[in-house]
Structure formats: C-alpha cells, structure tokens
Amino acid sequence: MQRPWVSSTAYGVAIGFLVEKRKEAGLTQRELADRLGKPRSFVSKIEGRERRIDVVEFIAIAKALGNPAGDLMAALAAAMPDRLDF
C-alpha cells in the first residue's frame, strides 16, 4: 500500500519526469546516488515512490543531473496536469 503523500497523480508525474531526466543523462540509480553522496536506496525509494523529496533535494538532484534547478523546475511545471492533486 502506497502512502498518500506519494500516491497522487501529480507526484507520479514529477517522479516520472525525474526518472526520465536521469535516464537522459545516462545515469543509473547508483551513479546518481554517488553524485548525491547518498546510498542507492535513496534514489530507489524516491523513484519507487516510497519517499517524497523536498525542494532542497530537488535542487541537489537537478545539479547532480547537470541541469540548472530553475530550468528543470520550469520543465517539470510545464509537464504537470492542469489540476494538481497532492
């Protein structure tokens, strides 16, 4: 059973977007985790929607992916559905 704070449609879009960006960067979960200084399970739990990320973690992930956080956030915002459930 997924926790409600990670099971919304909008959050699924956000995580799918980050997974896509990780793959576009040619990184495995382990490689991204190494860049973040975290264990692989950190990335796995985010991508598996077992834990929610905060804004500081989003910025760190964006930097680890080689993207300016503002640009990545703008692209994510554009990918979001009109109605956001959270």
Side-chain angles (χ1 to χ4, degrees), residues 3 8 22 26 28 35 43 49-51 53 56 63-64 79:
R3 293 172 174 91
S8 73
R22 174 181 61 77
T28 64
R35 289 183 180 193
V43 175
R49 295 170 65 181
E50 294 178 47
R51 73 178 300 280
I53 63 171
V56 174
K63 287 182 177 186

Side-chain angles (χ1 to χ4, degrees), residues 12-34:
V13 170
I15 295 305
F17 176 85
L18 289 176
V19 170
E20 180 182 314
K21 293 301 176 186
R22 174 181 61 77
K23 290 178 178 179
E24 284 176 6
L27 297 174
T28 64
Q29 287 183 347
R30 182 172 310 281
E31 290 167 333
L32 177 57
D34 288 346

Side-chain angles (χ1 to χ4, degrees), residues 8-84:
S8 73
T9 301
Y11 194 69
V13 170
I15 295 305
F17 176 85
L18 289 176
V19 170
E20 180 182 314
K21 293 301 176 186
R22 174 181 61 77
K23 290 178 178 179
E24 284 176 6
L27 297 174
T28 64
Q29 287 183 347
R30 182 172 310 281
E31 290 167 333
L32 177 57
D34 288 346
R35 289 183 180 193
L36 294 167
K38 298 286 187 182
R40 188 197 59 80
S41 62
F42 177 81
V43 175
S44 176
K45 286 180 180 182
I46 291 169
E47 292 186 4
R49 295 170 65 181
E50 294 178 47
R51 73 178 300 280
R52 196 166 178 122
I53 63 171
D54 65 25
V55 68
V56 174
E57 291 168 337
F58 180 88
I59 292 167
I61 290 167
K63 287 182 177 186
L65 293 173
N67 291 286
D71 292 352
L72 200 62
M73 182 60 77
L76 173 56
M80 282 287 168
D82 291 334
R83 180 169 164 77
L84 297 178

